[in-house]
Amino acid sequence: MSGPKETMDIDRIPLADHDALLESYREALAHTNALTDRISTDQFSAHYPTRPGWAIGPFARDEELTFRLEGQWDDPTGVGWTSDSIFNPTVIERGDELHLFYRASPRKESTASRIGHAVRRDGVWHDSPLNPVIYPTFENETLGCEDPKIYALDDGYVLFYNAIWRREDGSVAVDIMSAVSDDLDHWEKRGLVVPYDVSEYWAKGAVIPRDERGRAVRIGGEYLMFLSEGCGGRPTVGRSRDGLDWSFEAQPYLDLTTLHGSLFEVACAVVDGDDLVLDFFYADADGDFAAAQALYRVDDPFTQLELNRGGSLAWGGLQKLGGRWSFAQGWDAPAGVRELYFYREVDA
């Protein structure tokens, strides 16, 4: 068997094997990476060389909103899984509640991840007793479920996440999967989003333009999804009427020539009035990690107008909290400390 079927029919995706999950967890416990271990949110978002009116940021930490994860979740897979790092979250408001979805890993940036959920009410964070809300249950999730991206739709919510698995030839594959919810607490997995004839067994970044409240925004009557990593190196865009079922086509949309850089991945997309801003991660002219933003018009979402160095790298998306563009990230937590820090846009 080469892997899960190329279909949205989740009943046809093979289930995860216990021994394979245990092996994945043990491998993750030994993970270390000198490059990603030293990543700091501030190196990308605390200062921009220039700041045109359309750019979002820079950002400064708001200590009041810091989330700390205490204790260890029960492990529904039965392999003894634990975490020591939380990062790459997404945030969305519902009424007077702030909902946080985050990646929890045995080690920072390791595989064998699960996805957790916490809610802030009356100024206090509460980690969900249902955690992990997304964890490996299918064969193509054996190496983990990573990097949640949440969008409010017309009716309910959709969560996209990366499912990591190993093919028969030993190579690692990455799928974009989805789950749906009416209440942000209980999630039903729907299955594979990007078929293998498009992804070529590697697709990341289900980036959908969303507004200041975290709602997915239709452009030209449909939702757009910017895929920026994988798909055989082709810039690819998805289209959907309902945010759930997608079709994909090759569509260039980002040119880094003036930055003398090469793209790693688009982090998020923001609709702000008539502006559409893509926030992305790239290698600069010296090969160093960098962030930047690109400007488009909502009525012409693939024609790049301007670029500006500096960005949030808010993998779960930007939205306004207390009237300012904000995001969360856990990169700057000390080793073995499970904290997520919130960052708000500073005054011009």
Side-chain angles (χ1 to χ4, degrees):
M1 182 178 296
S2 61
K5 301 296 184 181
E6 299 179 24
T7 177
M8 287 290 293
D9 184 358
I10 200 164
D11 293 331
R12 298 176 61 190
I13 301 179
L15 298 179
D17 175 77
H18 176 275
D19 290 343
L21 291 174
L22 178 58
E23 181 182 358
S24 168
Y25 173 53
R26 288 173 174 170
E27 289 177 357
L29 289 175
H31 173 83
T32 185
N33 184 307
L35 285 176
T36 57
D37 284 350
R38 64 176 173 80
I39 285 178
S40 169
T41 301
D42 284 343
Q43 78 186 76
F44 304 110
S45 64
H47 173 74
Y48 294 2
T50 60
R51 186 176 182 176
W54 58 267
I56 302 174
F59 297 85
R61 190 186 300 183
D62 182 348
E63 301 287 355
E64 183 180 347
L65 289 175
T66 296
F67 169 71
R68 298 175 178 88
L69 179 60
E70 305 292 343
Q72 293 287 348
W73 306 329
D74 291 337
D75 173 27
T77 70
V79 300
W81 182 92
T82 58
S83 65
D84 85 344
S85 183
I86 57 176
F87 53 100
N88 290 4
T90 186
V91 178
I92 194 165
E93 288 185 296
R94 184 183 67 181
D96 59 0
E97 298 177 339
L98 184 60
H99 289 256
L100 174 70
F101 293 82
Y102 56 92
R103 173 178 170 183
S105 294
R107 296 291 182 266
K108 183 180 178 182
E109 294 286 353
S110 75
T111 55
S113 298
R114 282 89 168 107
I115 293 171
H117 173 214
V119 184
R120 186 175 176 87
R121 302 185 185 95
D122 300 321
V124 178
W125 284 109
H126 304 273
D127 203 47
S128 173
L130 301 175
N131 282 334
V133 292
I134 299 290
Y135 60 92
T137 57
F138 296 108
E139 184 181 68
N140 71 325
E141 299 170 342
T142 300
L143 297 184
C145 300
E146 304 180 350
D147 301 351
K149 297 180 187 292
I150 305 278
Y151 302 93
L153 301 175
D154 293 335
D155 183 18
Y157 303 87
V158 59
L159 181 157
F160 298 93
Y161 62 97
N162 298 334
I164 318 299
W165 56 287
R166 185 170 282 110
R167 301 175 68 188
E168 282 188 345
D169 63 5
S171 63
V172 174
V174 182
D175 294 339
I176 294 176
M177 302 278 280
S178 69
V180 292
S181 175
D182 293 328
D183 60 8
L184 291 174
D185 291 312
H186 303 87
W187 292 89
E188 178 185 357
K189 291 182 179 180
R190 298 191 76 244
L192 188 68
V193 176
V194 185
Y196 293 128
D197 61 349
V198 175
S199 74
E200 298 188 18
Y201 295 93
W202 190 285
K204 276 189 173 183
V207 173
I208 300 170
R210 67 178 200 166
D211 66 13
E212 65 183 44
R213 295 176 57 191
R215 298 174 300 193
V217 176
R218 286 188 176 89
I219 294 177
E222 59 190 357
Y223 297 115
L224 300 179
M225 179 187 293
F226 293 87
L227 301 181
S228 52
E229 184 176 332
C231 300
R234 300 178 302 274
T236 300
V237 170
R239 300 176 183 271
S240 174
R241 292 289 181 180
D242 60 5
L244 302 177
D245 296 307
W246 295 83
S247 61
F248 297 88
E249 62 185 5
Q251 171 63 65
Y253 59 83
L254 191 56
D255 181 359
L256 305 191
T257 301
T258 58
L259 294 178
H260 306 289
S262 57
L263 180 66
F264 288 131
E265 188 176 349
V266 174
C268 61
V270 175
V271 172
D272 186 12
D274 293 329
D275 290 345
L276 170 64
V277 178
L278 297 189
D279 188 294
F280 60 90
F281 182 38
Y282 75 104
D284 66 15
D286 297 321
D288 293 331
F289 291 160
Q293 294 175 352
L295 174 67
Y296 309 76
R297 302 293 288 178
V298 170
D299 59 4
D300 192 5
F302 309 130
T303 301
Q304 177 180 310
L305 301 176
E306 296 183 46
L307 290 174
N308 190 63
R309 288 202 59 164
S312 68
L313 298 189
W315 302 111
L318 288 159
Q319 70 179 81
K320 287 190 175 179
L321 301 177
R324 295 187 183 184
W325 290 106
S326 305
F327 69 98
Q329 184 54 274
W331 286 339
D332 291 307
V337 175
R338 294 176 301 166
E339 293 182 339
L340 287 169
Y341 306 117
F342 279 72
Y343 301 81
R344 292 183 190 264
E345 188 175 32
V346 298
D347 293 330

